[in-house]
Amino acid sequence: MEQTEKQLIALAKGGNSAAYCELASQYRDQLFRFLWLRCGQRADAEDAVQEALLSAWRYINSYDERWQFSTWLYRIALRKLPDKRPIMTEVDNVGTPDDDIEQYLERANLWRAARTTLKPEALTALWLYYGEGASHREIAHALSRSLAWVKVNLMRSRNRLATVLGEKTG
Amino acid sequence: MKDLETQLRRDAEALRGAHSRVTDGSLRSAIAADERGSRQPSSTRPTWLAWALPIAVAAAAAWFLIATPGSRELPTPANPQLAAITPIAETPLDVRSLQRVASTAPLEAEWEALLSDLERARNQIEQELPTEF
């Protein structure tokens, strides 16, 4: 019988690592996309995914169930992300083309523009809202920001993107 | 603006095709290794040592600093004027380092709880703000 997320969390909190792995596998790709968009390099994102999931296992008992499990994972993952590669700089030629998110985003021009235009935290908020369908409240919690900050930054990001697209097409 | 939002959601689909190379196996291995690592000390010595030892070390350090002759003689600046304005700690004990030694609980959980409390308080205030976009 397939277990619900709540059951898996309860089992994981009780020390059941198999239940935790099942739970983690449901969020692994989502977490990866979030991190890859933010840092740009697959290897960095993969490392951060692994470290975040391991860290979440260690501190699973501190997970507060008032929030989405994914939100809690985002909070942890952001701390695991290396800040060594600013997203607005040109990407070097290390790795295969698939390792670089810019290649992947050829079919997603708007997100490509977002990556080069917005600050990392604003990009993250935009992705969580439009890419993952997270609520303002969950985004605020994931980024340790206020609700007002999220709303204002989403509005600014949309305006900024509209301006950039207008400049390109106009 | 609605078009932009629609396009953001549509373009996000392109990225949804991306999958992590972190496998179930690699995560299981990492967790197993982590568990082995955290269990190893308890297999070689009694579990009560895990919390008793740091407390004993902290207590011994505190006793040593208090009992050592001259340790309570506070340094006095040579210049009397400077002495009047220079705050000098009442105790030469390095409380922070002692706390670090004594602390064995993971701080991350406490940090999460503190942040959670702060955010709850902040969100309560913000709910009264008429911020709508």
Side-chain angles (χ1 to χ4, degrees):
Chain A
M1 191 183 78
E2 202 170 302
Q3 283 168 315
T4 64
E5 183 178 293
K6 237 177 181 173
Q7 287 171 321
L8 289 173
I9 290 168
L11 285 168
K13 282 189 169 182
N16 186 331
S17 62
Y20 175 74
C21 285
E22 194 178 329
L23 184 66
S25 70
Q26 293 172 15
Y27 289 99
R28 193 178 47 210
D29 290 336
Q30 188 177 332
L31 199 58
F32 168 68
R33 289 191 293 264
F34 164 75
L35 291 166
W36 197 22
L37 186 74
R38 173 76 182 247
C39 73
Q41 286 295 306
R42 181 178 267 275
D44 288 343
E46 300 281 15
D47 286 349
V49 167
Q50 178 96 352
E51 282 178 36
L53 291 176
L54 189 59
S55 199
W57 163 247
R58 284 178 189 150
Y59 300 109
I60 186 77
N61 282 306
S62 69
Y63 165 58
D64 182 348
E65 289 173 42
R66 285 174 305 166
W67 303 97
Q68 300 273 344
F69 190 69
S70 57
T71 304
W72 186 61
L73 287 178
Y74 292 141
R75 278 172 75 89
I76 297 172
L78 283 172
R79 290 185 211 145
K80 306 292 176 190
L81 207 55
D83 289 330
K84 63 190 176 189
R85 201 185 301 273
I87 63 165
M88 281 187 279
T89 58
E90 288 294 318
V91 177
D92 52 32
N93 290 324
V94 177
T96 63
D98 183 45
D99 291 337
D100 175 11
I101 198 164
E102 291 297 322
Q103 306 284 329
Y104 212 93
L105 290 177
E106 274 181 354
R107 288 176 294 123
N109 287 330
L110 208 49
W111 288 104
R112 202 175 198 187
R115 282 195 84 248
T116 51
T117 307
L118 305 176
K119 287 182 179 170
E121 217 171 12
L123 171 73
T124 305
L126 196 74
W127 172 257
L128 290 179
Y129 192 71
Y130 291 105
E132 301 294 352
S135 67
H136 290 141
R137 191 171 158 270
E138 293 288 336
I139 297 169
H141 186 60
L143 300 182
S144 300
R145 290 288 194 168
S146 70
L147 205 55
W149 183 95
V150 174
K151 289 177 177 178
V152 168
N153 270 272
L154 284 175
M155 185 185 67
R156 282 183 187 157
S157 299
R158 285 191 297 259
N159 289 340
R160 178 87 187 109
L161 277 177
T163 307
V164 169
L165 290 177
E167 283 167 4
K168 278 185 180 173
T169 54
Chain B
M1 200 56 81
K2 280 282 168 204
D3 288 348
L4 183 81
E5 291 188 296
T6 308
Q7 203 185 332
L8 276 168
R9 289 194 175 95
R10 197 186 59 216
D11 279 8
E13 290 301 317
L15 200 62
R16 286 187 176 279
H19 298 286
S20 171
R21 289 173 190 159
V22 175
T23 60
D24 284 349
S26 66
L27 183 61
R28 275 180 218 280
S29 306
I31 287 173
D34 189 59
E35 284 186 323
R36 274 198 302 275
S38 60
R39 278 178 194 156
Q40 218 160 12
S42 63
S43 64
T44 54
R45 60 183 178 185
T47 48
W48 59 268
L49 271 178
W51 57 267
L53 204 60
I55 292 171
V57 170
W63 179 84
F64 177 76
L65 286 170
I66 292 165
T68 306
S71 69
R72 294 190 71 81
E73 289 170 14
L74 304 177
T76 311
N79 184 339
Q81 281 182 330
L82 191 64
I85 58 165
T86 306
I88 297 172
E90 287 181 7
T91 167
L93 289 178
D94 186 353
V95 178
R96 283 178 188 278
S97 68
L98 287 177
Q99 281 176 334
R100 266 200 301 277
V101 173
S103 172
T104 54
L107 292 174
E108 197 151 342
E110 290 176 30
W111 177 244
E112 277 288 337
L114 273 173
L115 280 180
S116 190
D117 288 347
L118 270 173
E119 279 176 30
R120 208 177 313 132
R122 191 172 58 190
N123 286 336
Q124 270 176 358
I125 294 166
E126 281 176 359
Q127 275 170 3
E128 293 165 16
L129 290 175
T131 319
E132 284 300 327
F133 300 100

